[in-house]
């Protein structure tokens, strides 16, 4: 199950998220999203856990908790939708 993790402190790394979620089971992938130009975190990321029961336990336990000084939001990630292509004006 893929989970969205929002309201992350900009200093949070993939390893920090993996450590926190791995307390509830196996974590297969962690990605903190960063700006492609500056490399700075955008304040959200995704965590994937293969076992849905473990993922639900992690979601229930970590949602609305303090993580690195911020109250994080954890919920099931929505499928990525097709976005319209942007037209460049240059």
């Amino acid at each position: 199950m893929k989970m969205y993790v929002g309201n992350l402190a900009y200093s949070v790394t993939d390893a920090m998220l993996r450590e926190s979620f791995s307390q509830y089971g196996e974590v297969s992938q962690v990605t903190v999203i960063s700006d492609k130009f500056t490399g700075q975190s955008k304040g959200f990321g995704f965590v994937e856990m293969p076992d849905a029961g473990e993922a639900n336990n992690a979601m229930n336990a970590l949602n609305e908790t303090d993580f690195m000084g911020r109250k994080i939001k954890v919920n099931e990630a929505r499928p990525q939708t097709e976005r319209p292509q942007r037209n460049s004006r240059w």
Side-chain angles (χ1 to χ4, degrees), residues 15-88:
M16 291 172 173
L17 268 186
R18 179 178 296 276
E19 183 180 329
S20 181
F21 278 79
S22 66
Q23 296 174 43
Y24 300 94
E26 180 187 348
V27 175
S28 57
Q29 186 173 0
V30 176
T31 308
V32 173
I33 306 301
S34 57
D35 182 274
K36 65 181 174 182
F37 298 110
T38 66
Q40 179 165 346
S41 168
K42 289 190 171 190
F44 70 95
F46 297 93
V47 175
E48 288 187 54
M49 297 178 78
D51 184 284
E54 292 175 351
N56 280 320
N57 288 340
M59 247 190 304
N60 292 331
L62 296 172
N63 187 41
E64 296 291 333
T65 60
D66 183 76
F67 186 74
M68 302 286 295
R70 305 207 47 187
K71 189 179 276 194
I72 62 171
K73 288 287 225 184
V74 183
N75 50 46
E76 190 170 352
R78 293 181 291 200
Q80 192 170 2
T81 59
E82 186 76 26
R83 295 190 326 193
Q85 187 174 11
R86 295 184 189 185
N87 293 328
S88 177

